[in-house]
Amino acid sequence: MASSRKTYGDYTVCLLCSLAVERAAVVAMLDEEHPRLRALERDDNEYVLGRIGVHNVVVACLPAEMAGKNLMATVVKDIQRSFHVEFGVMIGIGGGVWSRKRDVRLGDVVVSQPEGLHGGVVQWDFGTMEKGGGFWRTRSLNSPPRLLLDAVQTLRVKHWMEGDRILDNVATMLRRKPFMIDKFSHQGAEQDRLFQASSEYNGQEICHDCNVEKTVRRATRKTSAPKIHYGNIASGNKVMADGKARDRIAKTEGVICFDTEAAGLMDAFPCVVIRGISNYADSHENERWQPYAAATAAAFAKELLGVLDKQEAKKSNHARESTSVKVISHAKLCASVHPLGMSELIGVNLLVSPMSCAIDVNSVKSTGSHALVYGQLKNYQREFLSSICGIGYAWSNCKNKVVDFFG
C-alpha cells in the first residue's frame, strides 16, 4: 500500500546504482514505493522513492549507456542539492578476485571495508608510471563513515550467530515480482567457471567453447547460497577485463573486487559499496550472472539498513558537523612528524590541495587506523614532498610519531 505523499526532506538514505539491471533489483527490494515528487531545477537525475524498513530511501541511477566515476560524482552532487541525505549505499555488480584465501564465486557479495593500508576503496588507475614499467598509485580515498562501519560490524556479528537473510530477501523479491524469476535467480554452479589468468576469451558470443581444460579447479560448495566477503574494492575509469592484470593489482593493492564507479564517491559522499559478483574481471566476462549478482547485492543492502536505527541516521550529519574542528589535513600531520616543520609544507599543501584529503582525528583514535594514515603519508611524501622540497627523509622513522600525534 502506498504511503502518504512526502517531501524531499523526508528522505535521508540514498541507494546508488549504475546499470538498469542494478536499479531493477534495488527497486524490487523496496518494502514500499512512494509517488514521485515535483522535479527541481538544476537536478537532472531520475529518482525512485520508497521505504526499506524504517528508512525513506531515494534510488538514483546513472543515465542509460553511461558509466564511470566522474559521472557518478555529478549524480551525487544533484542528490545532495535536492535531498537531505545523511549517507549512501552504492549497490551493484563487480568483478571478483578468486584466491585460495578468498573463495569468491559468482553471486557472492563483496562489501567495502578498510583493510591493510586502504579505506575500503582503492582507485587503482590513478598514479604515475615509473622507470621500468612500475606504477605508483598516488591517491588515497576516504573510508566509509563510522555509522556504516558500525552497522556492518553489527551485521557481521549477527550473521555469525544467526546466518544472513540474502536468500530470504531475494526469494521475497521474486515472489512479489515473478516476472524476474528467470533472470534474477541463481544461474547454476555449472555456469560458474573461473578460467586461468593466462586463458583468453575466444571471441564467441558465449564462453561455452572456451577451453575448459584451462579452468581453475575449485571445491564444490555444499549449497548455492552466496557468501559475503569484506575488504578493499579496486575502482577505476576502465573495466578490468584481463586476468593477469587483475591478479597483479589484487596482489599489490590487496583487493578482492573491481568496479568502475566507487572511486568517484568516497571523497565526496559518505557511503559503503556493496557489489554482487557477476564475473571474474577477466576477458571471459558475460552478462548471464548480472541480474542475480545485482539481486544479492540489493538483498545485503536491505539487511544492512535493517540494523541501522532511524534516529542514528538522522544524527550522523550533526555529529560530523560538531567534530569538524578536529579534522586535519595531510600537510599538518606531515609537519608534525617531519623535521622541516610546517613552514616548509604550506606551499606544498596549496599546490596539491585536491589530493590532500582530510583525516578525522576521532576516527583514527577509535579505529586505531594508524597504519592507514602512515600509508597515506608515504604516498604524500613520495609524490609531492620529494619532488618539490627535495626531501630525502626516511618515512619508516615517522610511524611512531603518527601514533603519538593522535594520542
Side-chain angles (χ1 to χ4, degrees), residues 48-245:
V48 175
L49 308 174
R51 177 182 60 81
I52 290 181
V54 298
H55 301 281
N56 291 321
V57 301
V58 51
V59 181
C61 188
L62 294 181
E65 304 302 323
M66 300 181 71
K69 68 181 186 65
N70 294 329
L71 183 58
M72 181 58 74
T74 300
V75 169
V76 167
K77 285 182 180 179
D78 284 345
I79 295 170
Q80 292 175 314
R81 188 160 46 231
S82 300
F83 295 89
H84 297 162
V85 293
E86 312 292 346
F87 58 84
V89 181
M90 191 169 189
I91 306 167
I93 60 175
V97 180
W98 180 89
S99 67
R100 299 192 183 282
K101 180 180 178 182
R102 299 286 190 105
D103 183 26
V104 178
R105 306 282 179 103
L106 300 185
D108 283 1
V109 174
V110 171
V111 183
S112 66
Q113 180 171 285
E115 186 174 281
L117 297 179
H118 302 310
V121 176
V122 183
Q123 188 171 351
W124 66 268
D125 60 352
F126 191 99
T128 58
M129 192 65 68
E130 299 180 332
K131 280 186 176 181
F135 182 80
W136 183 261
R137 186 181 52 78
T138 59
R139 187 182 185 192
S140 297
L141 301 174
N142 289 341
S143 301
R146 175 66 182 270
L147 174 74
L148 291 177
L149 289 177
D150 286 346
V152 168
Q153 188 78 328
T154 297
L155 196 55
R156 292 188 72 173
V157 173
K158 184 178 180 181
H159 288 169
W160 275 108
M161 298 186 297
E162 304 173 10
D164 65 75
R165 294 188 54 80
I166 291 180
L167 287 185
D168 292 338
N169 288 339
V170 172
T172 299
M173 179 191 79
L174 297 179
R175 281 197 301 270
R176 294 166 51 188
K177 307 286 185 181
F179 185 79
M180 302 175 73
I181 291 177
D182 182 43
K183 296 289 187 181
F184 287 79
S185 298
H186 190 276
Q187 296 298 296
E190 70 280 1
Q191 301 296 335
D192 181 356
R193 294 190 293 177
L194 170 64
F195 287 86
Q196 297 171 6
S198 59
S199 173
E200 295 292 333
Y201 173 53
N202 64 13
Q204 300 299 316
E205 185 175 350
I206 54 178
C207 269
H208 284 308
D209 296 326
C210 290
N211 190 350
V212 295
E213 294 182 358
K214 293 187 177 182
T215 56
V216 177
R217 293 182 178 275
R218 299 176 292 174
T220 302
R221 284 188 174 177
K222 296 180 180 179
T223 72
S224 62
K227 292 186 177 181
I228 306 167
H229 311 270
Y230 301 87
N232 293 312
I233 295 175
S235 183
N237 281 310
K238 298 179 181 179
V239 174
M240 175 56 65
D242 184 296
K244 292 181 179 179

Side-chain angles (χ1 to χ4, degrees), residues 245-403:
R246 172 203 64 201
D247 289 351
R248 182 180 67 254
I249 295 170
K251 182 178 180 180
T252 302
E253 304 292 352
V255 300
I256 56 176
C257 177
F258 284 83
D259 81 357
T260 54
E261 286 85 25
L265 287 181
M266 301 310 296
D267 285 344
F269 189 53
C271 68
V272 65
V273 182
I274 302 170
R275 294 300 187 201
I277 301 304
S278 65
N279 62 81
Y280 289 112
D282 59 14
S283 60
H284 298 274
E285 177 184 1
N286 65 77
E287 297 182 359
R288 178 173 193 143
W289 285 86
Q290 287 186 2
Y292 179 69
T296 57
F300 179 90
K302 183 172 186 174
E303 192 172 3
L304 179 64
L305 291 182
V307 301
L308 272 170
D309 181 81
K310 188 175 183 179
Q311 291 305 116
E312 288 180 350
K314 285 187 174 182
K315 291 176 183 176
S316 63
N317 264 356
H318 301 300
R320 287 196 297 274
E321 291 170 1
S322 65
T323 59
S324 60
V325 295
K326 298 180 181 179
V327 173
I328 63 170
S329 68
H330 273 98
K332 184 175 180 181
L333 178 55
C334 286
S336 73
V337 297
H338 199 283
L340 290 185
M342 189 66 192
S343 60
E344 295 289 337
L345 297 172
I346 292 177
V348 177
N349 190 40
L350 293 175
L351 285 171
V352 298
S353 58
M355 304 293 294
S356 55
C357 305
I359 301 173
D360 187 332
V361 177
N362 285 344
S363 177
V364 174
K365 286 182 178 180
S366 62
T367 62
S369 54
H370 302 99
L372 174 61
V373 174
Y374 173 65
Q376 292 174 339
L377 280 174
K378 288 204 298 183
N379 285 351
Y380 193 95
Q381 152 70 9
R382 181 178 177 122
E383 285 303 313
F384 305 116
L385 303 187
S386 291
S387 60
I388 299 174
C389 299
I391 299 171
Y393 185 64
W395 276 88
S396 59
N397 297 332
C398 82
K399 188 177 295 185
N400 291 334
K401 294 184 179 181
V402 171
V403 177

